[in-house]
Amino acid sequence: MATSYALMIQPVDGDADRADFADTFASVDPAAPALSVGELSTQRGDGIFESIGVVDGHPQEVDAHLDRLAHSARICDLPAPNLAQWRAAIAAVAAHAPAGESVIKLILSRGIEHGPTPTAWVTLAPAADFTAVRERGIRVVTLDRGYDSTVPARAPWLLLGAKTLSYAVNMAALREAHRRGADDAIFVTTDGFVLEAPTASLVLRRGDRFTTPAPTGGILHGTTQLSMFAYLQECGYETGYEQILTESLASVDAAWLVSSVRLAAPITAIDGTSLPTDAAFTADLNAYLLSPRD
Amino acid sequence: MATSYALMIQPVDGDADRADFADTFASVDPAAPALSVGELSTQRGDGIFESIGVVDGHPQEVDAHLDRLAHSARICDLPAPNLAQWRAAIAAVAAHAPAGESVIKLILSRGIEHGPTPTAWVTLAPAADFTAVRERGIRVVTLDRGYDSTVPARAPWLLLGAKTLSYAVNMAALREAHRRGADDAIFVTTDGFVLEAPTASLVLRRGDRFTTPAPTGGILHGTTQLSMFAYLQECGYETGYEQILTESLASVDAAWLVSSVRLAAPITAIDGTSLPTDAAFTADLNAYLLSPRD
């Protein structure tokens, strides 16, 4: 969906304490040129981002997204974002959201090449209608991510735990999934462990226990997965972070890809093997994920 | 250096046969906004690029760069670029180059999100002065690229042979090299083979034989390395593409990182172990690389 509102941000120091940031924001026409060709985001995917779900004007899980933005900035040697400034920008943009579901994107770029500061902006766009996908579910395939489970810890320059703008591989993995007749992909390591989807986290169910791959540096800590675990704990279920073997996927009782905008999409098949689904349970879960949460 | 000239391109079909493309070009102020926030290059590093050296207004190795642009487009499922159009754009931009060394960048982005076509542009900027680096040389460190040598062929969705805009890891590797007191890095596989530098190719010398890692899908085929091999063959030397063991690096007679703008930078040390250099040989080589070549 086309961007409906965009706010450029003049980043202030991470620890600057200000009552108001309005003078650091400038709204721009989202269809008009707003970025110069010297932007390092565009030349090298050199920056970080977050996508925040918005329901009826309420931006969801803002704290978790801001925590992850700060985490990504550390991994990428970017100046620490001023989280109060970003929180104010999110509120300013969310004020323009219509009823229904939208998506707010935060982008922090290393800036103009040879320029003095990062550039930053926040956009608002209508969300695609995922109602049917949340009910009907998705077929996924596993795709080799090319590295083994020991790599993220020993090679931090691969930025595997950061949500960078260098998402060409994530997009290529989705195209490969579509080529194989599936809707989405699950990345796996060369030594047989499950990672994450290109734009979502994976949650598995066995009986009353729900697990997700541990965010040990190789994957992002999913903001929606965090919300889902909070919900499951409220419901009395057990949750846990684990190293999950790829070969164990076929025998789970249910599985979901969860993300900020599509929310919980039940997986109906992995690599052509059908998985059980529970329509009522998933509907309750998505109703929770659509309720206002901070 | 700041961009001095920028030309937006309206891409035409790859096989369109036209005498003139001038009506598909529009020069823009390189310091002013030219790209919208919906650009997928900026949101996801979703596109490809080339950097072409320009000497006294002459763009170097244009054919090799255009071949690689087309190769990257195929890997990334982008529409085939019309090479005659890109060649015309390069000429139009090169006409604005001053005497001395410049760099022309070609960028082909997947376009505006949900938009109908790719977006494309070409920029011109002064090159940094690499005279001293070409003489004094560079210290490099080897950095684990996280995958083994079998991965590129079996996981094409990792886009390892494409020159994509998703260069955050390449930039992070350079920062890691600087942290270790070096000037540049050489990526190596987990099973002990040499790949390439984050923004350059590696050429090794043993006696009268020069080798570079084979571009087997995991690395780019270096345009400047191709020129260097042509020069070496003219001089009567032997050249070859090989699988090169990381452990063999310490015993070479000389080594260079070669790239389109810095040209041949002699390596003075790898991981702290000094390498021999040959100042006269490197000077002759760089004189050749600075001469007009098509």
Side-chain angles (χ1 to χ4, degrees), chain B residues 28-241:
Chain B
V28 295
D29 178 350
L35 309 169
S36 88
V37 292
E39 250 300 317
L40 292 175
S41 55
T42 205
Q43 287 190 21
R44 298 181 193 148
D46 199 359
I48 57 177
F49 78 105
E50 286 293 324
S51 295
I52 300 177
V54 181
V55 182
D56 293 332
H58 184 88
Q60 304 280 50
E61 301 144 358
V62 169
D63 282 349
H65 283 288
L66 290 178
D67 284 352
R68 195 166 64 183
L69 188 76
H71 179 70
S72 294
R74 276 192 299 276
I75 296 175
C76 294
D77 301 313
L78 284 162
N82 185 303
L83 299 189
Q85 183 185 31
W86 283 93
R87 193 183 304 277
I90 293 165
V93 171
H96 294 266
E101 296 178 51
S102 307
V103 55
I104 283 179
K105 277 201 185 176
L106 319 180
I107 295 195
L108 174 58
S109 153
R110 202 172 298 277
I112 307 287
E113 192 162 23
H114 311 294
T117 56
T119 47
W121 61 96
V122 178
T123 62
L124 175 72
D129 183 353
F130 289 117
T131 314
V133 174
R134 290 171 192 153
E135 291 171 5
R136 191 181 62 230
I138 53 175
R139 300 167 57 82
V140 306
V141 290
T142 55
L143 289 181
D144 187 347
R145 188 62 185 79
Y147 59 80
D148 72 41
S149 54
T150 68
V151 164
R154 74 163 193 266
W157 49 87
L158 300 178
L159 309 179
L160 291 166
K163 195 168 172 77
T164 79
L165 298 174
S166 286
Y167 248 44
V169 168
N170 305 56
M171 297 298 111
L174 291 178
R175 291 195 300 274
E176 176 67 18
H178 297 160
R179 260 192 288 269
R180 297 185 186 192
D183 305 295
D184 212 323
I186 297 172
F187 282 132
V188 298
T189 68
T190 55
D191 53 346
F193 294 101
V194 174
L195 291 165
E196 62 191 347
T199 66
S201 311
L202 175 68
V203 177
L204 305 175
R205 177 178 190 167
R206 285 178 195 279
D208 285 345
R209 179 170 168 78
F210 294 74
T211 59
T212 195
T216 50
I219 63 175
L220 303 180
H221 199 163
T223 54
T224 311
Q225 170 262 308
L226 280 166
S227 276
M228 179 172 172
F229 272 25
Y231 168 77
L232 294 169
Q233 287 158 16
E234 275 175 34
C235 296
Y237 293 109
E238 201 184 331
T239 62
Y241 295 94

Side-chain angles (χ1 to χ4, degrees), chain A residues 78-291:
Chain A
L78 284 162
N82 184 302
L83 299 188
Q85 183 185 32
W86 284 91
R87 195 183 303 277
I90 294 166
V93 170
H96 294 266
E101 295 178 52
S102 308
V103 55
I104 283 178
K105 277 200 187 178
L106 320 180
I107 295 195
L108 174 58
S109 153
R110 202 171 299 275
I112 306 288
E113 190 163 23
H114 311 294
T117 56
T119 46
W121 61 97
V122 178
T123 63
L124 175 72
D129 183 354
F130 288 116
T131 315
V133 173
R134 290 171 192 152
E135 292 171 3
R136 190 182 62 231
I138 53 175
R139 301 166 57 81
V140 305
V141 290
T142 54
L143 290 181
D144 186 347
R145 188 61 184 80
Y147 60 80
D148 72 41
S149 55
T150 69
V151 165
R154 76 164 191 266
W157 49 87
L158 300 178
L159 308 179
L160 290 165
K163 195 168 174 77
T164 78
L165 299 174
S166 286
Y167 248 43
V169 167
N170 304 56
M171 297 296 111
L174 291 177
R175 291 194 300 275
E176 177 67 18
H178 297 159
R179 259 192 289 270
R180 297 185 186 192
D183 305 295
D184 212 323
I186 296 171
F187 282 131
V188 298
T189 67
T190 55
D191 53 345
F193 294 101
V194 174
L195 292 165
E196 62 191 345
T199 65
S201 310
L202 175 68
V203 177
L204 306 174
R205 177 177 190 166
R206 286 177 194 280
D208 286 344
R209 179 168 169 78
F210 294 75
T211 59
T212 194
T216 50
I219 63 175
L220 303 180
H221 200 166
T223 53
T224 312
Q225 170 262 309
L226 281 166
S227 276
M228 180 172 173
F229 273 24
Y231 168 78
L232 293 168
Q233 287 158 14
E234 277 175 35
C235 296
Y237 293 110
E238 199 184 331
T239 62
Y241 295 92
E242 291 182 359
Q243 266 212 322
I244 295 171
L245 286 165
T246 307
E247 65 185 24
S248 74
L249 288 176
S251 61
V252 297
D253 294 329
W256 297 262
L257 290 188
V258 299
S259 52
S260 298
V261 183
R262 193 172 62 184
L263 302 179
I267 297 176
T268 60
I270 297 181
D271 294 331
T273 302
S274 292
L275 286 195
T277 56
D278 180 338
F281 182 92
T282 299
D284 288 347
L285 172 60
N286 277 315
Y288 171 80
L289 293 173
L290 283 165
S291 66

